[in-house]
Amino acid sequence: MIGIGSDHGGFLLKQEIIAHLENKGIVVKDFGCYNQEAVDYPEYGQAVAKAVQSGECESGIVVCGTGIGISIAANKVKGIRCALVHDCFSAKATKEHNNSNMLALGARVIGPGLALEIVDIFLSTPFSNEERHQNRINQIEEN
Ligand code: RB5
């Protein structure tokens, strides 16, 4: 199951991502928000992050206006590696190198076409399992 969340700035893109994933038969849990009324992004970033941390969700996707605030909030949860990505190369690289378990997107930065491509690449690319990358991830997790 994929966890997804956004603030008001990311709400419309979140809805597009949910529809896109559900069309592919992927089970999605929506942690809100549920309309375009102004809310605070930390609540939603951390709700998805905690679901990934606990294992309830295998990966998480979070969206705010820039993707910055919600990714910072998610990355405060231990064990979360949330990558803010706005290009296809980075979507692939962050799975292969960082084994990122969350993706953040900025709805005011990129359009839905590119965002959905990034989501697909992020969810379909496996970790490389290379020792040098695992060692670096271990160093992050030690702190
Ligand atoms: C909300 O106006 C905006 O600050 C938020 O969506 C995000 O861009 C924060 O980083």
Side-chain angles (χ1 to χ4, degrees):
M1 178 161 69
I2 306 299
I4 190 161
S6 76
D7 73 354
H8 54 290
F11 172 73
L12 292 177
L13 180 56
K14 172 171 71 69
Q15 299 312 108
E16 291 209 40
I17 295 169
I18 292 170
H20 176 74
L21 294 179
E22 287 181 344
N23 273 342
K24 292 172 156 239
I26 295 171
V27 179
V28 179
K29 181 167 178 180
D30 184 0
F31 288 84
C33 64
Y34 302 109
N35 57 49
Q36 290 186 81
E37 268 174 47
V39 291
D40 300 327
Y41 57 79
E43 178 181 342
Y44 301 94
Q46 289 176 355
V48 178
K50 284 176 185 165
V52 173
Q53 182 192 47
S54 72
E56 180 190 1
C57 293
E58 70 216 37
S59 298
I61 299 172
V62 285
V63 191
C64 69
T66 59
I68 297 170
I70 206 159
S71 63
I72 292 171
N75 276 315
K76 289 286 181 184
V77 176
K78 193 161 176 54
I80 295 304
R81 294 178 302 282
C82 180
L84 172 57
V85 171
H86 290 133
D87 67 277
C88 295
F89 173 81
S90 301
K92 184 166 179 278
T94 196
K95 286 301 289 290
E96 290 175 342
H97 292 209
N98 316 122
N99 198 12
S100 292
N101 47 19
M102 286 184 61
L103 169 70
L105 295 161
R108 296 175 184 154
V109 181
I110 56 169
L114 178 55
L116 296 181
E117 263 194 68
I118 289 170
V119 166
D120 286 345
I121 292 167
F122 183 83
L123 294 180
S124 64
T125 303
F127 177 49
S128 66
N129 266 312
E130 285 178 38
E131 196 180 341
R132 66 196 163 111
H133 294 311
Q134 187 58 59
N135 286 342
R136 293 164 187 157
I137 293 166
N138 292 347
Q139 287 172 36
I140 296 170
E141 300 303 331
E142 277 160 16
N143 282 313

